[in-house]
Amino acid sequence: PIRVRTLGRFGVEVGDTALAVRGKAARKPLELLQFVVACGSQQVAASSVEFALWPDLDGDNAHAASKIALHRLRRLLGDDAAIAIDAGRLSLNPRLVWVDCLAFEALADALPAAPFSPAQQASAERTLALYAGSFLGSEDDHSWQLVHRERLASKYRRVVRAVVVQARAVQDQALARRTLERALELDPLDEDLLRELLQLLADAGEHGAALTRYERWRALCARSLGVEPAASTQALAALLRAAAAPTREIAVGRRAPAP
């Protein structure tokens, strides 16, 4: 009955209703929920919650603030059983609470390396569909958020590559291209994925399209990070230019003579 969205954005649905939460009073309870999720949702030490979310308070005050936040969170979720505390450890009740990133991680961890069986391929595509963006999207970048965000992103990249390897092995270039393009929409600066897409386009003979994609990415990289592409990416771009050059020369040679 309780669904928590953390990939690409943060949101909570209780029943069929999205939880509309405003004001400072709800901020800490929801941060508590986010922290428990980031720690795996099971057996999270209350002391680690207190240290992470109330670093400026002493032990007793942090403990009191944590108890208040937990009480308010349970009230927001509408069920005290949604979050259990036992021997100083907090756990989400999986019978009551579904979390997208936990479902994603479970599916990703269960996938073997390619090649896949048809059932595994379907599972891989469901895994990718669950990943709607980085953990908590544009929420504040606390250290505990960053660690979990990068772990999930790394697993997403691994599944992307596995799906691409599988797709290319069975000559499904459309799936490989679609998978890489969506991954780059979610993380436009991922250079490794860009190179894989450029190579895929080159193998399909689409050298011009690959060069256009490279130039757009290089401009984005310079604008966002102020750096040039890696040497290996520049070398691939040089090969693309060389491969596209004969095509351009033929196009120029076929122009109609001037009147």
Side-chain angles (χ1 to χ4, degrees), residues 173-187:
Q173 306 303 331
L175 174 60
R177 181 171 179 171
R178 189 165 65 246
T179 301
L180 287 169
E181 287 180 339
R182 180 177 182 271
L184 283 164
E185 286 176 6
L186 296 176
D187 188 357

Side-chain angles (χ1 to χ4, degrees), residues 15 77 80-81 83 117 135 137 159 165 174 186 190 254:
L77 299 180
D80 285 357
I83 302 181
S117 68
F135 180 65
V159 178
V165 167
L186 296 176
D190 191 312
R254 287 179 178 171

Side-chain angles (χ1 to χ4, degrees), residues 2 4 65 89 144 177 186:
I2 302 167
V4 182
R89 293 183 176 274
W144 54 268
R177 181 171 179 171
L186 296 176

Side-chain angles (χ1 to χ4, degrees), residues 36-58:
V36 171
V37 168
C39 292
S41 83
Q42 297 296 308
Q43 296 294 305
V44 180
S47 57
S48 66
V49 174
E50 294 160 13
F51 180 78
L53 302 187
W54 292 275
D56 298 329
L57 298 183
D58 60 33

Side-chain angles (χ1 to χ4, degrees), residues 54 57-66:
W54 292 275
L57 298 183
D58 60 33
D60 289 342
N61 287 330
H63 182 66
S66 177

Side-chain angles (χ1 to χ4, degrees), residues 3 15 17 30-31 53 103 157 167 176 181 203 213 217 220 245:
R3 301 173 71 81
T17 305
L30 293 178
E31 281 189 2
L53 302 187
R157 290 191 294 268
E181 287 180 339
D203 292 345
R213 188 67 185 247
W217 186 89
L220 175 65

